[in-house]
Amino acid sequence: CRFEHVRPNVILDVAHNPDGIKQLFKALDKFYPHQPMQLIFGISSNKDVLGCLTSLPKRVKKIYLVSASNGRGLPVEELYQKALEANIDPQKLVKASVEDALKTDDLIVVCGTFFIMNDVRQALGICDPQDPFDLNEKANQHKDTKAQRH
């Protein structure tokens, strides 16, 4: 999910901090300078949400706000409020499902967190092999258990 083309008009990139987002859109400006673009954006609650939102370029036509299904993402309502704080035009903001966001012929860029990528891939019919549990969650549980013992 680093500038990964999964369909001719869909790019996945796990940019999830202001610098990563700036670099992503620098590459998009190079390879797709005049192409209409829509964004599917979700972000983990522990990231620099305002910094990421203010790093988004004005040329994005629509920003579909989504939350990761694993519960670690910022809820859509909070993300919407943060987007307004970042002075993003409310006319560009859409609270929608991943499936609805994929219904366009424009270039679709998906970014903001690793945790929305699986939802997008599944909505596109891409079936990747998966572990029986979320390895990140398992690692965090292990840390929490270890900390409780000490």
Side-chain angles (χ1 to χ4, degrees), residues 113-134:
T113 180
F114 286 92
F115 300 114
I116 62 172
M117 297 302 164
N118 189 50
D119 295 340
V120 172
R121 293 172 82 83
Q122 286 180 352
L124 290 167
I126 300 169
C127 299
D128 294 317
Q130 295 187 8
D131 292 310
F133 53 85
D134 184 334

Side-chain angles (χ1 to χ4, degrees), residues 10-94:
V10 179
I11 296 173
L12 306 180
D13 194 288
V14 294
H16 58 275
N17 59 46
D19 187 55
I21 288 175
K22 288 174 187 169
Q23 293 303 315
L24 167 62
F25 283 96
K26 188 175 177 182
L28 289 164
D29 287 343
K30 178 180 178 181
F31 293 107
Y32 303 96
H34 304 291
Q35 193 162 347
M37 181 186 316
Q38 298 191 33
L39 182 67
I40 298 175
F41 185 80
I43 192 162
S44 294
S45 56
N46 65 340
K47 299 298 178 188
D48 179 3
V49 178
L50 280 176
C52 289
L53 288 166
T54 57
S55 298
L56 298 175
K58 302 281 188 233
R59 76 177 258 220
V60 174
K61 285 174 42 177
K62 291 265 186 228
I63 303 171
Y64 293 89
L65 305 173
V66 300
S67 187
S69 60
N70 72 347
R72 291 181 61 181
L74 192 66
V76 171
E77 284 301 322
E78 289 181 48
L79 185 53
Y80 180 82
Q81 290 305 315
K82 292 284 189 185
L84 294 177
E85 286 178 43
N87 295 316
I88 295 176
D89 180 355
Q91 298 294 322
K92 288 184 174 188
L93 300 173
V94 181

